[in-house]
Amino acid sequence: MDLLLWRHAEAVDGFPDQARELTERGEKQARKVADWLEKNRPKRLKVLVSPTVRTRQTASAFTDTFDIVTALGTDAEVAHLIAASGWPDGNGACLIVGHQPSLGRLAALLLSGAEADWTIKKGALWWFSNRVRDGESQTVLRTVIAPDML
């Protein structure tokens, strides 16, 4: 299975938090990563998005076909992300467009075996794969893409 974690692009400050929109810079960040993702996307990719405006706008730079999942909101826990994606036993690939700190905590868990407060930069995409070698499940970090590097 492939699991892609995409933090929403830069958004305006303000209230209510759920309604914050992308800035002009954030729109550019989302388009850059979406262009890269379109060229490199895994097959059978399902896209799951937090219900916030900024995550929906980020995802929309890539596709209009996504599922809004309430459990992926700003207060999501790592367990919510794992359950929604089906990691590591799901079929195909799953892209989650979400928030800090849950995305960073999930990245830490996948790579180190323990949740920790790792930071995923705004607009960045982390791509993980799961494989089984000699009967042991392994997590592989395939790539990290930051919009300012594209």
Side-chain angles (χ1 to χ4, degrees):
M1 175 179 187
D2 289 302
L3 178 61
L4 294 81
L5 306 177
W6 190 6
R7 183 176 179 192
H8 66 79
E10 182 183 272
V12 297
D13 292 328
F15 187 81
D17 184 50
Q18 298 291 320
R20 293 174 44 213
E21 296 184 353
L22 295 183
T23 62
E24 186 176 325
R25 179 174 182 236
E27 290 173 0
K28 289 177 185 175
Q29 291 172 333
R31 281 194 304 272
K32 284 182 179 182
V33 173
D35 289 346
W36 181 90
L37 188 54
E38 185 57 42
K39 295 173 189 163
N40 297 283
R41 66 181 290 159
K43 295 177 183 174
R44 298 185 331 210
L45 178 64
K46 69 178 176 180
V47 181
L48 307 178
V49 180
S50 159
T52 65
V53 171
R54 61 192 179 273
T55 52
R56 289 183 282 137
Q57 288 177 322
T58 299
S60 291
F62 172 60
T63 182
D64 291 328
T65 306
F66 54 80
D67 294 323
I68 298 170
V69 180
T70 304
L72 301 179
T74 57
D75 59 349
E77 296 179 15
V78 168
H80 300 146
L81 278 66
I82 292 171
S85 67
W87 178 267
D89 301 316
N91 291 325
C94 181
L95 167 64
I96 294 177
V97 184
H99 306 275
Q100 279 295 101
S102 58
L103 292 177
R105 289 177 180 160
L106 178 54
L109 177 65
L110 296 178
L111 293 177
S112 73
E115 286 186 37
D117 287 326
W118 290 9
T119 299
I120 293 181
K121 189 172 181 171
K122 288 180 183 170
L125 176 82
W126 289 43
W127 184 340
F128 300 90
S129 290
N130 182 39
R131 67 181 182 196
V132 177
R133 290 272 168 95
D134 299 323
E136 179 182 328
S137 181
Q138 300 175 342
T139 298
V140 177
L141 178 61
R142 295 195 57 193
T143 194
V144 174
I145 302 294
D148 59 338
M149 302 301 289
L150 295 172

